[in-house]
Structure formats: C-alpha cells, structure tokens
C-alpha cells in the first residue's frame, strides 16, 4: 500500500466533495481523520481513541460503516461517508450509555444496542449464549 497524505484535505474540503480520506501506510496525522474517528465512535463504530491517523483499524471500521449504511465499500471516506455519521447520530439520539469508559449504549425505546454492540449481542445470541 502506498502512502497517502490525508492532511491534504480539511474535513470541510471532503464534505464539499473535494478529496477523501483513506488508509495511510505512513500514518500521517490529519485533523479531519481525527474528526471522522470521533464521529464514528459516537455512532457506535469504535475506532479507538481518535488519533488522526488512518491505519488498518480505522480502515476496517470505515468499511464496516460503509457496508452497514449501503455506501460504496472501498475504505475511502469521502463526502457520503462523512455525512452519514451525523444522520445516524440524529437518528440514534435515544441511546444511553450505561456507565464507565466502556459502557454499553442501549436504546430502551427500540430495544437495541448501538451497531458494534448489537453485532456482538446477535452473534452471542445466535450461538445460543444466553444470560
């Protein structure tokens, strides 16, 4: 994989359709990538502590997010990918964090966990793991 300089684009540039963020083998810092990571974390797609570096972990999260919301799954976080977390955030306003740094987010109205947590719950339930 070649090095890609995500710092060439501000978050606002990408929102306007000028450029995109993608995995960077040199792990160069980008304020826009940090903003994207923060927004993905907020809607349940955990990138870890936002560090502004688009590594393999962020790439996996971006691809999972794109797949979940029927976006082009290419690992390139362009305009459509960056707009979606704000839409999702508005739609998931009912989620409440249970407690602590690693609390569970649950929507008591719709009886559903946030995305990554819902996947774990569904897989455990499908494996007949009951508690």
């Amino acid at each position: 994989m070649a090095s890609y300089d995500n710092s060439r684009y501000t978050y606002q540039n990408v929102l306007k359709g000028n450029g995109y963020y993608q995995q960077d083998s040199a792990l160069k810092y980008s304020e826009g990538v940090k903003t994207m990571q923060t927004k993905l974390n907020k809607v349940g797609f955990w990138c870890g502590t936002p560090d502004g570096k688009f590594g393999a972990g962020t790439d996996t999260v971006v691809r999972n997010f794109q797949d979940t919301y029927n976006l082009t799954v290419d690992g390139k976080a362009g305009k459509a990918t960056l707009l979606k977390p704000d839409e999702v955030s508005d739609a998931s306003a009912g989620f409440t964090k249970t407690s602590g740094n690693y609390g569970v987010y649950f929507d008591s109205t719709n009886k559903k966990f946030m995305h990554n947590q819902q996947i774990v719950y569904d897989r455990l339930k499908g494996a007949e793991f009951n508690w």
Side-chain angles (χ1 to χ4, degrees), residues 1-126:
M1 169 190 39
S3 179
Y4 182 81
D5 188 358
N6 289 303
S7 66
R8 296 185 302 173
Y9 303 105
T10 67
Y11 196 79
Q12 292 305 316
N13 287 143
V14 178
L15 283 178
K16 291 177 183 174
N18 301 319
Y20 54 87
Y21 301 124
Q22 72 174 22
Q23 188 172 355
D24 166 23
S25 61
L27 296 177
K28 295 175 187 165
Y29 175 81
S30 165
E31 188 66 34
V33 169
K34 185 174 181 179
T35 299
M36 176 191 70
Q37 291 169 327
T38 300
K39 289 177 178 270
L40 288 169
N41 283 351
K42 184 178 176 185
V43 295
F45 287 79
W46 186 245
C47 295
T49 301
D51 61 4
K53 298 175 183 178
F54 202 128
T58 299
D59 181 67
T60 298
V61 171
V62 166
R63 289 173 189 274
N64 288 339
F65 181 79
Q66 290 171 329
D67 183 50
T68 298
Y69 291 102
N70 299 313
L71 300 168
T72 301
V73 181
D74 58 7
K76 294 179 180 180
K79 180 178 179 177
T81 300
L82 295 190
L83 285 171
K84 190 56 87 171
D86 289 331
E87 293 173 26
V88 173
S89 180
D90 292 342
S92 65
F95 287 97
T96 305
K97 184 175 180 182
T98 55
S99 65
N101 290 336
Y102 302 102
V104 173
Y105 289 85
F106 189 74
D107 179 348
S108 57
T109 303
N110 296 309
K111 307 293 185 220
K112 185 176 176 182
F113 296 100
M114 287 192 89
H115 176 74
N116 290 351
Q117 295 167 354
Q118 188 66 43
I119 288 173
V120 171
Y121 174 79
D122 291 343
R123 296 242 169 105
L124 289 172
K125 189 175 176 184

